Each structure stands twice: as C-alpha cells, then as structure tokens.
C-alpha cells in the first residue's frame, strides 16, 4: 500500500514562491499518476495539478496554470509542486494523492487504491 507524506509548506508573502514535496513509499511509484489538491478553510477540497506516471503529461487547474509546476522524480519517489507568484487565495492545506481522485480530475485511467497524505499548510499573506 502506498503511503504519502507532504512537506514544504509555510508562510510566504504574496508574489513569493514555495516548493512542496510529496514523498511516496512503495516499489511501484512509477506505475501510477500523482496529483495535488488543496482545501481552504470552510471550502471543499479541489484539484490543483496532476502528473502522469511517466511524467510526460501534466494537468492543471485554471486557477494555478502558468504559476504552478508539478514534476516527479521516479528514482527518488517524490512529486514536487513548485508554486510561484503566490496569491492570498492560494492559502490552503495542500494534499498529495494518487488513485481515484487523480482519475476523476483528469480522466486518466487509474488502478491504484486512492490514497491521501496528511497535508501541509500554505499561507500567503497580502
């Protein structure tokens, strides 16, 4: 079973940058697509970005397109999310995920069990 652990969150001023990372356990990491979601206070969890298992396809929410970049390192079992030009509305808990949630957001076929990390807080001050 896959386990996911996020890191890299923190407090940053508007216009600044942060780099989140998701570390995955398991020997089959390169076999499944990965994604990031976020949940702001009082709101539903929403899709942010996803990357295919080989890293050749990426998909972004319109709200982050051009500012965020998702990537993956299959040798290190990590999925970084580079966030630039941050806005106060990017404030949220960011979650790494794989499985059904990524499939529903992107339309990609996924076979691995849906799994979520514990989340990391990102706060952008104005």
């Amino acid at each position: 079973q896959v386990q996911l652990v996020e890191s890299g969150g923190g407090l940053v001023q508007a216009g600044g940058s942060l780099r989140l990372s998701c570390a995955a356990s398991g020997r089959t990491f390169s076999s499944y697509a990965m994604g990031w979601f976020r949940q702001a206070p009082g709101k539903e969890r929403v899709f942010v970005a996803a990357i295919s298992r080989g890293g050749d396809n990426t998909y972004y929410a319109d709200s982050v397109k051009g500012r965020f970049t998702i990537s993956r390192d299959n040798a290190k079992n990590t999925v970084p999310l580079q966030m630039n030009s941050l806005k106060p509305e990017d404030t949220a808990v960011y979650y790494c995920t794989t499985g059904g949630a990524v499939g529903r957001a992107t339309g990609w076929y996924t076979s691995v069990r849906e799994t979520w990390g514990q989340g990391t807080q990102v706060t952008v001050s104005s």
Side-chain angles (χ1 to χ4, degrees), residues 109-120:
Y109 171 75
T110 59
S111 60
V112 68
R113 178 180 178 180
E114 182 168 319
T115 303
W116 294 87
Q118 84 289 349
T120 186

Side-chain angles (χ1 to χ4, degrees), residues 1-118:
Q1 183 173 345
V2 177
Q3 291 186 326
L4 305 174
V5 178
E6 302 93 336
S7 62
L11 174 65
V12 64
Q13 289 187 334
S17 299
L18 276 178
R19 185 176 177 88
L20 306 183
S21 187
C22 173
S25 65
R27 295 176 292 177
T28 59
F29 174 74
S30 61
S31 300
Y32 40 87
M34 298 292 298
W36 286 92
F37 281 64
R38 68 187 181 187
Q39 187 168 19
K43 296 187 177 181
E44 294 184 350
R45 193 173 299 186
V46 297
F47 171 75
V48 173
I51 188 165
S52 61
R53 57 185 183 178
D56 51 336
N57 288 319
T58 56
Y59 191 71
Y60 296 94
D62 288 343
S63 59
V64 306
K65 202 172 294 183
R67 299 187 298 121
F68 290 12
T69 302
I70 188 171
S71 59
R72 68 188 297 159
D73 185 334
N74 286 343
K76 296 181 179 179
N77 283 16
T78 59
V79 182
L81 181 68
Q82 179 67 40
M83 306 186 296
N84 299 327
S85 302
L86 283 162
K87 305 175 182 180
E89 51 264 43
D90 293 319
T91 295
V93 177
Y94 283 71
Y95 297 90
C96 180
T97 184
T98 189
V102 176
R104 289 189 295 273
T106 63
W108 298 342
Y109 171 75
T110 59
S111 60
V112 68
R113 178 180 178 180
E114 182 168 319
T115 303
W116 294 87
Q118 84 289 349

